[in-house]
Amino acid sequence: MNNLRRSYGLIFSIVILFALSINISGQDSTPEPETPIREPNLVVEIEATDGVTLTGDYYLPHDGDAPAVLLLHELYTSRASWRWMIEPLLANGFRVLTVDLRGYGSLRRTGLNWRQTGVDAQSWLSWLYAQPGTRLNSVFVLGSSMGANLALNACADAEHCAGVVAMSAGLNYFGVTTWDALRSGRPTLLVYADRDSIPRRDMPRIRELIAEVGAEGTVTELVYEGRAHGMILLDTEEDIIPQMIGWMRSRAG
């Protein structure tokens, strides 16, 4: 019995030493640092038409005149979800404004209100137009999923909007419809995956709507293989950011 106990004790000691060696080895390894997130030049607060305080981050590439882009995030995210777009846009000379939608980020306690969120987008565009150095006819709106529908409507309703980039847009997200916006004739880049359920369902009708008003020349499609939806495309497609920025640059004054 004593020999058996000694054997168990020896095995237990070996196991403990092995576990400690793994732990020590793990502690000795240096983790890769995360990509630093640039601090905004300005944290912006404006008052919405219903009195709610809206919050956004404003980034400047340099001190001179520049085109600008308003970024509208998708559901269950916030303005911080665009952080991987900031540096490429700044490197290409764009001013960048990222904002929180109703019910998310700094506005999470306001609850969802899609009608008012559309009005908020117009308020943000008005603020962006008013900034010294913003090229008036070189302001774009980029949105993802629900943000894409909001972006299409915001650009269609804005007098000076130079164009809209809509990732995984649809004809109707929770009552935010895009029928009229798609027929407005605004320069539009529709970005989506060919097997993503909503664009796959809606794109035939979207093409019909565009053809009805003869606006085919104003709408461009950037299509990828797969089922990725919205901002997931930013992770799965290496060329998507350069493609979207290139499209906007080609239309910036």
Side-chain angles (χ1 to χ4, degrees), residues 9-66:
L10 179 61
I11 293 171
F12 181 74
S13 299
I14 292 172
V15 170
I16 292 297
L17 287 173
F18 180 70
L20 287 173
S21 69
I22 292 176
N23 187 46
I24 292 170
S25 175
Q27 290 178 357
D28 288 343
S29 62
T30 303
E32 290 293 325
E34 293 184 1
T35 303
I37 300 173
R38 179 188 289 244
E39 292 296 320
N41 295 82
L42 180 67
V43 176
V44 185
E45 290 187 346
I46 65 173
E47 185 176 329
T49 58
D50 63 350
V52 169
T53 298
L54 306 176
T55 306
D57 292 330
Y58 190 43
Y59 302 83
L60 300 173
H62 47 66
D63 293 332
D65 293 353

Side-chain angles (χ1 to χ4, degrees), residues 201-223:
R201 179 196 67 198
D202 289 352
M203 279 309 302
R205 181 57 182 145
I206 287 173
R207 295 188 188 102
E208 291 177 2
L209 291 170
I210 294 167
E212 286 175 6
V213 295
E216 295 96 333
T218 65
V219 178
T220 304
E221 295 181 36
L222 178 59
V223 188

Side-chain angles (χ1 to χ4, degrees), residues 76-140:
Y76 313 116
T77 62
S78 70
R79 69 186 192 272
S81 61
W82 289 111
R83 59 189 179 275
W84 310 120
M85 287 286 299
I86 303 302
E87 290 297 339
L89 284 165
L90 292 174
N92 281 273
F94 282 88
R95 298 177 173 211
V96 183
L97 176 61
T98 65
V99 303
D100 285 332
L101 305 183
R102 300 270 174 148
Y104 299 100
S106 61
L107 298 179
R108 61 187 177 279
R109 291 187 177 88
T110 65
L112 300 177
N113 184 334
W114 297 123
R115 186 198 64 78
Q116 186 62 45
T117 300
V119 177
D120 295 344
Q122 290 299 322
S123 297
W124 280 120
L125 282 175
S126 296
W127 182 89
L128 195 51
Y129 292 143
Q131 300 314 296
T134 297
R135 294 180 190 166
L136 190 59
N137 292 307
S138 297
V139 175
F140 297 84

